[in-house]
DNA sequence: GCCTTCATGTAAGAAGTTACATGATTGT
DNA sequence: ACAATCATGTAACTTCTTACATGAAGGC
């Protein structure tokens, strides 16, 4: 009877600020999209379902396009169910964590070692770029929201916590990539003496 | 025309050792399941597709049950396509990384702080258990496969690399959980003086 | 005799992506 | 004029999960 995971994602956004479906879909690209994403074609039907369950309501607002523009906000029940869900342990660790990159590493012994090393290096650079982005967000948070990020009953605290998770995650992946590149280089392609070239 | 991600997961397993669909499905629970999983109802049709594409073949083996038991192995083409795929950079970082736990944290400011802290502590313990399991696998690898794990052209090297990724990942999550628990405790529920109870 | 493991498949449904379809407002 | 952004929806398709269905071999 309660909402789906996507429903709770939408409620989590609406609890911060009432929004249109379009804005929700945009927010689910970045930065919340770093841990939960959805396309607008999923958002609109889900909003209708949440409304049918009495967890959100909307008012029609003037705006562009051929249809009514609707701004959604959570109901009292929506807020309390969201809070209850957030404090309930998830069924179990999925242990799933589908990761196509790790799957490639799993078969990397069949690939050309130089191609494999280059692939890992490229991925590491992508993670470095991501880390830089997270660090900027953290700095911004610490500058403008210094008071709220210490209070776990504010949305700013929750934002900060997820950004910290991102930073920690990227740092770990980068360190592992560097380790792996060193290993591939050391064990396979005994580096031809480049000093003569 | 090439295989799907699941197809490459199956090929990656079959490149190590020919197996039945049942055994593949079991392997996709643990330990490969830590980064790619599938149920048997996905495996059997996928094997048929791979065979139609000429990437695997099977021989019928005697065994239990009402139907033929089939042992699959990759073809020459299957192996080479797997190697090529493994060395090719994935389209891009998905940035998606769907994580229901982080989504809960994102709305944790609406939850009871004590419930939230307890939830995080429980999750941390689950990750600690996982870390212990990974460390055992690593120790086992270092004991019995010491020679191969230094050579990036062996499957043992690839196994070792993925286990190291797991260890690094779990260590990061545990550290972040501990940080978060401290923050929730410090900011919200100024701990009642327990020494008098 | 009964339960577990091994073994292979189909069917129904949920979840998610990509493509189709429409149209006003705003900035260049 | 043209393009981008804002805005809302539907349809078709892929992927994945859960449930249904069958049955032999081996251990208790």
């Amino acid at each position: 009877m309660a909402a789906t995971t996507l429903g709770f994602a939408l409620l989590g956004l609406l609890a911060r600020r009432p929004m249109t479906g379009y804005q929700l879909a945009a927010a689910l690209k970045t930065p919340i999209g770093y841990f939960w994403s959805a396309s607008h074609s999923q958002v609109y039907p889900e909003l209708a379902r949440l409304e049918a369950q009495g967890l959100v309501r909307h008012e029609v607002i003037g705006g562009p396009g051929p249809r009514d523009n609707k701004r959604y906000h959570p109901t009292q029940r929506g807020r309390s169910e969201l809070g209850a869900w957030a404090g309930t342990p998830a069924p179990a660790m999925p242990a799933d964590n589908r990761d196509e990159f790790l799957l490639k590493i799993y078969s990397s012994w069949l690939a050309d070692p130089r191609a494999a090393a280059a692939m890992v290096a490229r991925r590491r650079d992508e993670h470095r770029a991501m880390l830089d982005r997270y660090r900027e967000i953290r700095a911004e948070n610490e500058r403008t929201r210094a008071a709220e990020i210490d209070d776990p009953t504010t949305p700013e605290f929750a934002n900060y916590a997820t950004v910290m998770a991102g930073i920690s995650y990227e740092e770990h992946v980068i360190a592992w990539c560097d380790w792996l590149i060193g290993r591939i280089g050391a064990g396979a392609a005994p580096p031809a003496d480049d000093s003569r070239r």
Side-chain angles (χ1 to χ4, degrees), chain A residues 8 43 57 110 113 143 159 188:
Chain A
F8 284 120
V43 168
R57 244 175 291 162
L110 286 168
R143 237 184 298 119
N159 293 348

Side-chain angles (χ1 to χ4, degrees), chain A residues 46-61:
Chain A
E46 185 63 34
L47 280 171
R49 254 171 270 140
L50 288 174
E51 192 152 43
Q53 292 177 276
L55 301 175
V56 302
R57 244 175 291 162
H58 76 267
E59 65 279 348
V60 171
I61 55 172

Side-chain angles (χ1 to χ4, degrees), chain A residues 174-196:
Chain A
I174 291 164
W176 175 76
C177 283
D178 282 333
W179 170 85
L180 183 56
I181 293 165
R183 278 270 170 152
I184 296 176
D193 190 349
D194 273 335
S195 60
R196 257 173 303 169

Side-chain angles (χ1 to χ4, degrees), chain A residues 36 92-103:
Chain A
W36 205 271
M93 251 205 335
D96 188 61
N97 285 354
R98 225 146 248 208
D99 186 335
E100 188 169 345
F101 183 71
L102 269 186
L103 193 60

Side-chain angles (χ1 to χ4, degrees), chain A residues 76-91:
Chain A
Q76 211 48 261
R77 250 192 68 223
R79 278 185 162 256
S80 73
E81 284 203 22
L82 177 60
W85 172 80
T88 306

